[in-house]
């Protein structure tokens, strides 16, 4: 039986691994379908502390993995389908049919951005114009025109943040009014750099001869009119989908599927010895550094809890 099993190998999972491995807990990490998490698709990370010149996203995650491995963390590729608890022991059943048992589990399975599913979106993802994070990538679009898709608070926050860099921000929304809070909506509509494009959906991300984004083909849902917006970047802000379905039968999830932590640490669940870290629980910040911080807390809490469970330690 394992002392610690960590689900996910993004910033939260790998940071948990580094801390729990250094505590001699020999954690086992189970990688899902995207080892390294979303950051591996980011060409350059400029806001992670310690890298004044920035660092490639894949390289950052590879460095974290090597650091965890150095202290004794182990890795297997499997996807968990169900978690159960038997006499304090966490029993994890994988889609492969394999069963894992652990004294503690840290869930760091992340969340995936909800995408539009239109032509050009995947082709220009990751440094070519399509992104879902203004905080991460906004600075790359200084003095350029960009598009934001969405109508909620997140879309408005993205649009307002981008006004610090972009020359103009087009906010595309399929309705004729924003779903955001009144204060946020009023602030967005009033901003001189933001142009709201109502009743409109994006139909295709357009590329130039070099494979970089040059614009967006859009359609008015009322008139059916099709037109193009010249822009170098498109920020999709229509929500995220947390990877938490496997935990729905044992943990409390909010209306959007995020795991709920009612403890002041932010990483405890209602099941003793079962912890959460990163974007599968955090739907507010969703940054690499905040995920890493949660991973650190989860590992420390797991270590402390194990020290208080002599009976379980002997199981």
């Amino acid at each position: 039986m394992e002392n610690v099993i960590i689900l996910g190998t993004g910033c939260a999972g790998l940071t948990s691994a580094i801390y729990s491995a250094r505590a001699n807990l020999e954690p086992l990490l189970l990688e899902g379908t995207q080892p390294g998490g979303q950051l591996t698709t980011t060409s350059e990370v400029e806001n992670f502390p310690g890298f004044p010149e920035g660092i490639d996203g894949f390289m950052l995650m590879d460095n974290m993995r090597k650091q965890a491995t150095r202290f004794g963390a182990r890795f297997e590729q499997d996807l968990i389908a169900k978690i159960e608890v038997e006499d304090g022991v966490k029993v994890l059943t994988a889609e492969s049919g394999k069963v894992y048992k652990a004294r503690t589990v840290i869930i760091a399975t992340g969340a995936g951005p909800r995408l539009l599913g239109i032509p050009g979106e995947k082709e220009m993802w990751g440094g070519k114009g399509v992104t879902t994070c203004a905080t991460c990538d906004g600075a790359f679009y200084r003095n350029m025109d960009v598009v934001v898709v969405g109508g909620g608070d997140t879309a408005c926050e993205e649009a307002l943040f981008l006004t610090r860099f972009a020359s103009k921000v087009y906010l595309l929304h399929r309705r004729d009014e924003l779903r955001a809070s009144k204060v946020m909506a009023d602030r967005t509509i009033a901003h001189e750099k933001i142009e709201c494009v109502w009743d409109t959906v994006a139909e295709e991300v357009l590329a130039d001869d070099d494979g970089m984004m040059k614009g967006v083909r859009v359609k008015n849902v009322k008139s059916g009119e099709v037109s193009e917006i010249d822009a170098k970047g498109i920020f999709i802000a229509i929500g995220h989908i947390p990877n938490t379905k496997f935990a729905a039968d044992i943990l409390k999830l909010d209306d959007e599927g995020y795991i709920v932590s009612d403890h002041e640490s932010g990483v405890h669940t209602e099941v003793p010895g079962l912890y959460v870290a990163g974007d599968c629980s955090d739907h507010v910040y969703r940054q690499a550094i905040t995920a890493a911080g949660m991973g650190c807390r989860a590992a420390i809490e797991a270590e402390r809890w194990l020290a208080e469970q002599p009976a379980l330690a002997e199981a």
Side-chain angles (χ1 to χ4, degrees):
M1 182 165 59
E2 304 289 344
N3 286 314
V4 183
I5 287 181
I6 300 168
L7 306 183
T9 53
C11 276
L14 289 175
T15 303
S16 293
I18 291 168
Y19 274 80
S20 55
R22 291 187 75 248
N24 293 322
L25 295 177
E26 299 179 325
L28 173 64
L29 287 87
L30 299 182
E31 299 178 301
T33 56
Q34 189 176 28
Q38 291 186 66
L39 216 58
T40 58
T41 66
T42 302
S43 59
E44 189 170 1
V45 180
E46 291 192 323
N47 56 2
F48 199 92
F51 300 95
E53 303 301 323
I55 183 171
D56 176 81
F58 180 86
M59 184 176 294
L60 175 61
M61 301 316 300
D62 188 53
N63 286 345
M64 285 189 178
R65 184 188 180 102
K66 290 175 180 174
Q67 190 173 0
T69 302
R70 173 191 167 200
F71 294 120
R74 295 161 295 132
F75 295 81
E76 287 189 27
Q77 192 153 20
D78 219 337
L79 204 60
I80 297 303
K82 182 172 63 174
I83 299 180
E84 299 171 294
V85 179
E86 298 177 359
D87 297 326
V89 176
K90 287 70 182 172
V91 181
L92 290 71
T93 303
E95 290 186 357
S96 66
K98 186 173 180 178
V99 175
Y100 300 85
K101 292 185 178 181
R103 297 177 176 90
T104 63
V105 172
I106 297 173
I107 300 175
T109 47
R114 196 183 303 275
L115 300 178
L116 298 170
I118 60 175
E121 184 178 48
K122 290 184 178 180
E123 291 81 357
M124 275 164 278
W125 178 267
K128 295 183 179 181
V130 179
T131 179
T132 57
C133 181
T135 306
C136 309
D137 299 327
F140 297 124
Y141 295 89
R142 293 181 186 275
N143 303 315
M144 302 179 191
D145 291 357
V146 298
V147 171
V148 174
V149 180
D153 280 342
T154 299
C156 289
E157 289 171 1
E158 297 276 281
L160 288 165
F161 181 85
L162 286 166
T163 60
R164 305 179 188 182
F165 309 102
S167 53
K168 186 168 186 177
V169 179
Y170 296 93
L171 180 59
L172 264 61
H173 188 39
R174 63 172 55 247
R175 299 179 178 87
D176 59 3
E177 62 179 358
L178 297 172
R179 294 182 291 103
S181 62
K182 187 177 187 307
V183 172
M184 185 65 71
D186 289 346
R187 188 181 305 161
T188 301
I189 293 171
H191 200 287
E192 60 181 7
K193 278 191 174 183
I194 298 175
E195 178 179 333
C196 294
V197 186
W198 305 114
D199 303 315
T200 299
V201 295
E203 289 206 319
E204 183 180 359
V205 182
L206 306 173
D208 61 20
D209 294 338
D210 296 322
M212 303 294 288
M213 178 178 161
K214 69 173 184 179
V216 185
R217 181 173 290 117
V218 300
K219 180 180 180 180
N220 186 289
V221 297
K222 290 185 176 179
S223 68
E225 180 183 356
V226 175
S227 58
E228 294 182 6
I229 296 176
D230 294 333
K232 293 295 185 180
I234 180 169
F235 293 77
I236 301 167
I238 56 176
H240 285 71
I241 305 173
N243 303 316
T244 58
K245 286 185 179 179
F246 66 92
D249 292 337
I250 194 171
L251 295 179
K252 181 180 178 182
L253 308 182
D254 68 13
D255 292 340
E256 296 181 357
Y258 291 92
I259 298 173
V260 175
S261 172
D262 297 325
H263 190 270
E264 62 181 4
S265 69
V267 298
H268 282 253
T269 70
E270 64 267 38
V271 178
L274 193 55
Y275 304 93
V276 64
D279 289 7
C280 60
S281 178
D282 172 24
H283 55 83
V284 177
Y285 300 104
R286 292 198 295 265
Q287 298 296 302
I289 189 63
T290 52
M294 289 185 74
C296 167
R297 295 202 302 272
I300 291 174
E301 292 295 324
E303 178 190 355
R304 290 174 176 172
W305 187 81
L306 282 170
E308 298 170 355
Q309 311 296 319
L312 194 59
E314 296 172 1

